[in-house]
Amino acid sequence: MTAVPLKKMSLEEYLEFDKNAEGRFEYFDGEVFEMSGVSIEHADIEANLIALLKKEIGIRDCKVNPANVRIKVPKLPTYRYADISALCEERIIEKFSDVDVLVNPSLIVEILSPSTERYDRGEKFSEYKSIASFREYLLISQEKKFVTLLTKHNERFWFQSEYVGGESFRLESLDCSLNVDEIYDRVIFESEIQEQS
């Protein structure tokens, strides 16, 4: 995913624009960024992960939300879009300028691209931390089998663990385990394509 800056807008102009826009747009300090089309690897990883999470949580009262669900971020005057979010309690939705925003995700997932990785690991993570229910942050590379899981310990500290192909890890917020190889099932990395040609 590539963030493409558009023209400057007031918050009110952005909210009206985003409400009627095709696609996803985020607002930051007067600038609007189009979260433009994703790579094939990104799309495959996202589809795999949504299917895995739905399979793992089964019939329990958990919800998995795709990329177009807006997430309320108390630290901001607006909301953010994650690639995936999930929770295992009743979903709380509020209206924000006539659009629905999710208030209480416990898991937030970002699939990292070269253009967004620094932002997703830095400023966006810092913003997400203001969400009271937020417990786990899953960062997935789209360039190789590599997953980072950040787990909230307390208000000041998050534990970081990293996983590669052949390993599994547990998501405490959803009470399930995931296998790295299954997240990357049938994903062909650009580097592999270049090696074959």
Side-chain angles (χ1 to χ4, degrees):
M1 180 176 301
T2 304
V4 180
L6 304 177
K7 69 178 184 118
K8 289 246 185 195
M9 291 186 192
S10 70
L11 178 59
E12 292 75 22
E13 288 172 325
Y14 162 72
L15 293 170
E16 190 60 31
F17 169 78
D18 189 53
K19 192 179 351 178
N20 301 305
E22 295 289 326
R24 300 186 308 159
F25 298 84
E26 288 191 347
Y27 180 85
F28 181 73
D29 196 27
E31 289 190 286
V32 176
F33 293 86
E34 179 181 9
M35 309 311 283
S36 63
V38 299
S39 69
I40 293 298
E41 297 88 355
H42 184 293
D44 288 344
I45 292 165
E46 187 174 334
N48 287 347
L49 188 54
I50 288 173
L52 284 170
L53 288 172
K54 285 184 168 281
K55 182 181 92 175
E56 288 299 319
I57 60 179
I59 60 171
R60 291 183 291 134
D61 191 23
C62 299
K63 302 282 190 257
V64 179
N65 307 297
N68 58 347
V69 172
R70 297 168 177 94
I71 298 174
K72 181 179 179 178
V73 179
K75 184 177 181 178
L76 300 172
T78 182
Y79 43 79
R80 286 286 179 254
Y81 291 97
D83 288 320
I84 299 170
S85 61
L87 65 152
C88 281
E89 55 191 61
E90 186 175 341
R91 192 162 39 191
I92 300 172
I93 303 294
E94 286 183 4
K95 286 287 187 192
F96 184 86
S97 187
D98 294 330
V99 296
D100 291 337
V101 292
L102 175 65
V103 172
N104 63 327
S106 57
L107 170 70
I108 295 177
V109 180
E110 295 289 357
I111 299 166
L112 306 174
S113 71
S115 63
T116 63
E117 180 169 359
R118 186 173 172 190
Y119 173 58
D120 289 339
R121 288 184 180 277
E123 185 66 31
K124 200 169 192 182
F125 181 39
S126 178
E127 294 165 355
Y128 284 150
K129 287 178 187 177
S130 67
I131 302 169
S133 60
F134 179 41
R135 295 285 174 267
E136 290 177 308
Y137 193 38
L138 187 59
L139 300 169
I140 302 174
S141 172
Q142 68 176 14
E143 297 183 307
K144 61 184 177 182
K145 289 185 180 181
F146 187 73
V147 172
T148 303
L149 177 62
L150 294 128
T151 305
K152 186 174 185 177
H153 176 65
N154 59 36
E155 294 304 317
R156 295 182 56 88
F157 297 103
W158 288 69
F159 295 125
Q160 178 174 316
S161 48
E162 297 169 343
Y163 304 93
V164 295
E167 296 183 322
S168 294
F169 60 92
R170 184 152 186 78
L171 294 173
E172 296 297 335
S173 63
L174 302 185
D175 190 24
C176 70
S177 294
L178 296 177
N179 179 279
V180 173
D181 290 328
E182 290 181 343
I183 292 172
Y184 289 97
D185 182 44
R186 289 181 277 189
V187 173
I188 300 171
F189 300 106
E190 191 175 312
S191 60
E192 294 171 351
I193 294 170
Q194 291 171 349
E195 286 174 9
Q196 293 172 359
S197 55

